[in-house]
Amino acid sequence: MRILFVVHQFMPEFRAGTEQVTLNLAKSAQRGGHHVDVVTCSLREPSLWLRVDKGGVRFSTIEGIPVYGLSGHQMGGLAQLGIDDDKEMVAAFARFLGGRDV
C-alpha cells in the first residue's frame, strides 16, 4: 500500500512532537512493507533540503522516509490558523500529486 502523510510542518525544517509522531508512524508503516512519503509546507531556506526540482518542490530523506516540501512563502498571515484560502498552495499540491507516483 502507498501511504502519503500530509502535515503542516516536518523535518528538516521543524523538529517537535508532531513531527516525531509522524516520523514514527511513517517508519512503522515502512517496516510493515508499505511505501511511505511525507509532504509538508516548506517555509525556510531551500538549503536545508537535499534538492529542489524545477517546479520548486523540495526533497529530502529523514531516517529513510522521503519528504517533499511545497514552498509556503506565499501564504497569508492567517494560514497558521488554518483559515487562509491559499489558492497557490492548493495548486502546488495538485501539481505535486499529478506529477508523482505517490
Side-chain angles (χ1 to χ4, degrees):
M1 179 186 320
R2 297 182 71 90
I3 299 172
L4 178 64
F5 288 92
V6 181
V7 294
H8 66 295
Q9 59 190 38
F10 198 72
M11 302 163 198
E13 295 184 8
F14 299 93
R15 294 182 181 274
T18 300
E19 295 80 10
Q20 192 60 53
V21 168
T22 303
L23 179 62
N24 290 344
L25 288 169
K27 288 177 10 181
S28 178
Q30 193 178 59
R31 281 192 304 271
H34 303 290
H35 178 89
V36 178
D37 293 290
V38 174
V39 66
T40 189
C41 181
S42 175
L43 299 173
R44 298 194 178 160
E45 292 301 315
S47 62
L48 293 171
W49 298 81
L50 294 177
R51 68 177 185 266
V52 180
D53 73 12
K54 63 182 176 183
V57 176
R58 300 161 185 196
F59 174 78
S60 193
T61 56
I62 306 296
E63 297 184 30
I65 303 296
V67 180
Y68 299 90
L70 305 179
S71 179
H73 288 288
Q74 303 301 317
M75 293 190 331
L78 297 176
Q80 292 295 325
L81 300 175
I83 56 176
D84 193 14
D85 186 15
D86 189 349
K87 290 175 180 51
E88 288 188 34
M89 182 58 78
V90 170
F93 189 68
R95 284 191 305 274
F96 171 81
L97 289 178
R100 286 175 173 71
D101 185 24
V102 175

